[in-house]
Amino acid sequence: EGSIDSYTADYLLEQVLLQQPPLIRDFLLKTSILDRLSPDLAEAVVGSDQSSTGITLQALTRKGLFLQATDQRVDGSDVWYTMHRTFRTVLRQQLEATASPNQVAVLHRRASAWFCARGFYDEAMQLALAAHDTRLAVQIVVDHFTDWLEEDGWRRIEHRLNLLPFDILDRHP
C-alpha cells in the first residue's frame, strides 16, 4: 500500500486516532482491515452492536475521520463507505502492532463470513486468505462451485481458484 513518511503516520496516530474515545479508536482499528465497509459489515467485524455504542459510519464521516460515503448500495439499503488509503494504512499498521495475529485473523474471518453470506465470494476468499485460513477459502469454493458453474461460467471460477495458493489446488482437486 506504499510507504508513508513517519511525520504523516505520527500525525495521524497522535492527532487523529489517539484523540478519539476508546470505542471509536477500537472501531477504526478493527474496520481498517476492510477496503470498503457498510454499517452492517462494520458491526459484523467489530463484533458488537453499533447502536449500543452510538458509533455510526455517518457520524464518523461528519466528524472528519477520513471516511467517505460512496454512491454504491449494499443489498439496496446500506451505503458503502471507504476510508482514506493513508489513514487506513496507518490504522492497519497500528492494529498489527497492538493486536495478536489471532485477533486480526478473527476480524478477517468475520468479514469473510459477511461477504460470503451476501454473495461477494471474491472478497470472502481474499479475507479468508488474509486470515491465513486456506481451509475456509477452500470451503467457500467447495460450497459454491456448483452454483458458480450455473451462474458465472469457467472464467469466474478460474479467477477464484487462482486466488488460492497453488499447493492447495494440488491437495484439493
Side-chain angles (χ1 to χ4, degrees), residues 29-35 41 44-46 92 95-96 100-116 123-133 136 140:
L29 289 170
K30 288 178 177 177
T31 58
S32 70
I33 66 158
L34 303 166
D35 293 332
L41 172 57
V45 169
V46 172
R92 282 183 185 176
L95 176 67
E96 290 172 10
S100 73
N102 187 52
Q103 290 170 316
V104 176
V106 166
L107 299 175
H108 282 100
R109 281 190 203 96
R110 288 177 184 166
S112 177
W114 187 93
F115 277 111
C116 190
E123 290 96 333
M125 289 180 65
Q126 289 166 346
L127 286 156
L129 293 170
H132 305 288
D133 193 339
L136 177 58
I140 292 168

Side-chain angles (χ1 to χ4, degrees), residues 136-157:
L136 177 58
V138 167
Q139 194 60 51
I140 292 168
V141 172
V142 170
D143 289 348
H144 301 284
F145 190 83
T146 304
D147 295 335
W148 296 345
L149 274 177
E150 295 172 8
E151 297 170 8
D152 297 330
W154 282 105
R155 284 194 177 159
R156 201 70 177 136
I157 292 170

Side-chain angles (χ1 to χ4, degrees), residues 52-160:
S52 67
T53 62
I55 298 172
T56 65
L57 295 171
Q58 199 172 30
L60 294 178
T61 301
R62 282 194 308 266
K63 196 171 179 177
L65 289 175
F66 303 100
L67 283 170
Q68 179 177 5
T70 67
D71 292 333
Q72 299 173 336
R73 299 252 174 210
V74 183
D75 299 331
S77 57
D78 283 346
V79 174
W80 283 112
Y81 288 79
T82 57
M83 191 178 295
H84 189 280
R85 183 177 305 173
T86 303
F87 189 50
R88 189 178 73 234
T89 299
V90 169
L91 290 173
R92 282 183 185 176
Q93 291 169 349
Q94 185 68 15
L95 176 67
E96 290 172 10
T98 59
S100 73
N102 187 52
Q103 290 170 316
V104 176
V106 166
L107 299 175
H108 282 100
R109 281 190 203 96
R110 288 177 184 166
S112 177
W114 187 93
F115 277 111
C116 190
R118 284 152 186 83
F120 297 105
Y121 301 114
D122 293 343
E123 290 96 333
M125 289 180 65
Q126 289 166 346
L127 286 156
L129 293 170
H132 305 288
D133 193 339
T134 52
R135 184 193 54 74
L136 177 58
V138 167
Q139 194 60 51
I140 292 168
V141 172
V142 170
D143 289 348
H144 301 284
F145 190 83
T146 304
D147 295 335
W148 296 345
L149 274 177
E150 295 172 8
E151 297 170 8
D152 297 330
W154 282 105
R155 284 194 177 159
R156 201 70 177 136
I157 292 170
E158 182 179 25
H159 167 76
R160 290 174 178 147

